[in-house]
Amino acid sequence: MSRSEQVIAITYLIASALFILSLKWMSSPRTARRGVWAGELGMLLAILATLLHHGIVEYRWIAVALVLGSILGVYLGRVQMTAVPQRTALSHALGSLCVTLVGTSEFYLQAPDVPRFTMAVLALEVILGSLTFTGSLMAAGKLQEILPQRPITYKGQNLVNLSLLALSLGIAAYLVFHPDQIYIFPLIIAIPLIFGVLMIVPIGGADMPTVISLLNSYAGLSAAAMGFVLNNKLLIIAGALDGASGLILSINMSKAMNRSFSNVLFGAFGQEQVSGPGAQEARPVKSATAEEAAAILSAANTVVIVPGYGLAVAQAQHKVRELHDALVKRGVDVRFGIHPVAGRMPGHMNVLLAESDIPYDKLLDMDEINGDLPQTDVALIIGANDVTNPAARNDPSSPIYGMPILDVDKARTVMVIKRGMSPGFAGIDNPLYYLDHTLMLFGDARAFVGAIVRDLSGGEG
């Protein structure tokens, strides 16, 4: 082994260790920032080591790609918190496109004498990369609301989708034994591209958090397959880490919704309910002003704040921190209840609240906070819908029946900040809003929380 190869191998080993540490550190809010830095350093080392590879004979186009990629990366990094899920989906799409292009070039470089093992993993790489590319674009479009968030279904849809996937796998198997049939290789790109679109079309907005983590897993597995094709151990390790972590996260997300992968992918969950005109408006609700809400909160001993996507849309996290500080100053015990699928991607609410420097020990998972809610004076829901819907616990006919929820309805008083009575991602009504001890606080979350803070501050003197 030459000196340059030794340097590359050692650098790859260090990068691999940093990727593993990054994943470990990012599992906790206290060490997440360190995990991000470790991952970035690992990627930088991996890129530098790759540039030393003896197979590179011309750096001009690589330099152009590095500059363009860096500019695009800076642009994609400067997005609002509400746009992080779709930006993540777009990152998956770009990574998967890269994997597909590399796999395609490797096939044509080695054909027709492609070893069977290489052909098998290469086909897997291209199929996963292709379907993840279009699937991620579709997911980003739904999250950005460029495409309809509701499920789009038709009779026999699952049969069509599974047939397309089976066909692409069958062609891949044929190529393993007949790699000289170069003319059919484009089919294992084109068919999965179509499958990726059709896979996401029937999935509603309520399932997007799970879909994002699942697509992340596919992207990682395709990268690991590329590592076998290129004989690159770093790609195998990084791809396996990405694939395994995405899969585990998807499993945890499904458990949090009490649903299976097959139900997420083929159940068309999230379809808007069909109800008569004005059905929701006909039911009476109790509302309150910011001044009344401030009075109730100031008189409470314990308050649990439940954030949702509406908080992110309104960018109210800093006002929520001010509310937390004002209540704590009055001697109120304030904590936050975080549902695993709140927001539009895993950990969305945790990141949002951490951004406003809310203490980590105040952010409690659903399982930790639910036991305390019956003894809680006030549960304040800010922009959360489906994760607080008691129909999931009480109504067997509800589409979300069986999904674990935050038991906010068991608190002595419930206050909900919403712009209106529109349903959440699942498109279903929430009986919580019509309970006798629930007060609806209609308005923009940021403005309403700010008004509550002003009333609390004004009442101190």
Side-chain angles (χ1 to χ4, degrees):
M1 182 182 290
S2 66
R3 183 175 296 275
S4 64
E5 291 175 332
Q6 290 177 345
V7 171
I8 292 172
I10 293 172
T11 305
Y12 277 170
L13 180 62
I14 296 173
S16 299
L18 286 170
F19 289 149
I20 295 171
L21 290 173
S22 174
L23 199 60
K24 170 64 177 176
W25 286 331
M26 290 182 70
S27 64
S28 170
R30 296 184 181 278
T31 56
R33 192 180 299 272
R34 188 193 311 165
V36 172
W37 283 109
E40 290 179 346
L41 178 59
M43 183 57 67
L44 176 62
L45 291 176
I47 293 173
L48 292 176
T50 302
L51 292 176
L52 295 176
H53 199 276
H54 61 82
I56 298 177
V57 295
E58 175 61 64
Y59 283 92
R60 181 176 55 184
W61 291 112
I62 293 176
V64 172
L66 281 173
V67 171
L68 293 177
S70 298
I71 294 172
L72 181 60
V74 170
Y75 174 76
L76 290 176
R78 293 178 176 175
V79 297
Q80 297 290 340
M81 278 298 302
T82 51
V84 168
Q86 47 266 48
R87 200 233 17 109
T88 302
L90 189 58
S91 294
H92 293 162
L94 294 174
S96 301
L97 176 61
C98 172
V99 167
T100 304
L101 292 175
V102 171
T104 301
S105 64
E106 280 297 315
F107 173 78
Y108 285 109
L109 283 172
Q110 298 186 35
D113 302 317
V114 186
R116 288 183 178 178
F117 175 78
T118 301
M119 187 65 238
V121 293
L122 192 152
L124 179 64
E125 167 193 344
V126 171
I127 290 172
L128 282 174
S130 299
L131 68 88
T132 304
F133 171 61
T134 50
S136 297
L137 288 179
M138 290 294 294
K142 281 181 174 262
L143 290 168
Q144 190 65 24
E145 299 182 15
I146 298 173
L147 301 174
Q149 288 195 336
R150 69 182 187 280
I152 300 174
T153 59
Y154 56 86
K155 187 176 181 179
Q157 186 171 49
N158 290 338
L159 179 62
V160 171
N161 290 356
L162 292 176
S163 297
L164 285 173
L165 181 60
L167 179 60
S168 62
L169 291 175
I171 294 172
Y174 181 79
L175 281 170
V176 169
F177 295 98
H178 303 281
D180 56 323
Q181 304 297 308
I182 299 176
Y183 66 93
I184 66 171
F185 181 82
L187 293 177
I188 66 171
I189 301 175
I191 295 174
L193 286 174
I194 298 171
F195 173 78
V197 174
L198 299 180
M199 177 180 68
I200 302 300
V201 163
I203 300 176
D207 281 327
M208 277 302 120
T210 305
V211 171
I212 290 295
S213 59
L214 195 58
L215 289 169
N216 177 71
S217 177
Y218 292 165
L221 292 175
S222 63
M226 183 170 66
F228 282 105
V229 173
L230 299 178
N231 193 26
N232 188 306
K233 296 180 179 62
L234 177 63
L235 272 175
I236 296 172
I237 294 172
L241 286 171
D242 194 14
S245 60
L247 182 61
I248 292 171
L249 184 58
S250 299
I251 292 172
N252 290 338
M253 298 284 285
S254 294
K255 287 181 178 178
M257 296 188 296
N258 194 33
R259 301 175 60 221
S260 64
F261 275 156
S262 60
N263 188 249
V264 170
L265 294 176
F266 308 121
F269 178 71
Q271 194 157 6
E272 293 180 1
Q273 285 187 317
V274 179
S275 57
Q280 293 180 10
E281 289 76 2
R283 301 180 64 181
V285 298
K286 297 178 181 178
S287 62
T289 64
E291 183 179 1
E292 292 168 333
I296 294 172
L297 288 169
S298 63
N301 292 318
T302 55
V303 172
V304 172
I305 300 175
V306 178
Y309 185 66
L311 183 147
V313 171
Q315 300 182 35
Q317 62 269 30
H318 297 290
K319 289 297 180 182
V320 170
R321 171 59 194 266
E322 293 177 15
L323 175 62
H324 165 272
D325 293 345
L327 290 174
V328 169
K329 189 176 180 180
R330 287 173 169 266
V332 180
D333 178 20
V334 183
R335 291 177 295 170
F336 294 79
I338 312 294
H339 194 281
V341 297
R344 289 193 172 181
M345 68 180 297
H348 199 175
M349 294 300 103
N350 299 74
V351 173
L352 198 70
L353 296 174
E355 181 188 356
S356 59
D357 294 325
I358 290 174
Y360 297 134
D361 58 352
K362 296 293 186 75
L363 309 182
L364 303 181
D365 293 335
M366 174 182 64
D367 294 336
E368 297 176 291
I369 199 67
N370 266 352
D372 295 336
L373 282 169
Q375 293 80 43
T376 298
D377 292 324
V378 180
L380 177 62
I381 295 92
I382 307 178
N385 290 281
D386 304 321
V387 298
T388 63
N389 193 332
R393 189 180 62 241
N394 305 327
D395 184 4
S397 66
S398 174
I400 63 172
Y401 181 69
M403 183 182 86
I405 61 166
L406 287 156
D407 297 329
V408 293
D409 57 315
K410 297 181 179 180
R412 296 186 180 96
T413 300
V414 179
M415 294 194 292
V416 183
I417 299 179
K418 277 177 64 69
R419 289 181 180 271
M421 294 298 292
S422 59
F425 284 171
I428 59 178
D429 199 15
N430 192 339
L432 175 71
Y433 306 152
Y434 311 105
L435 298 178
D436 290 338
H437 63 295
T438 296
L439 294 173
M440 300 300 297
L441 313 178
F442 292 115
D444 174 79
R446 182 177 179 181
F448 208 108
V449 173
I452 293 175
V453 172
R454 286 193 297 274
D455 284 317
L456 287 172
S457 302
E460 289 179 356

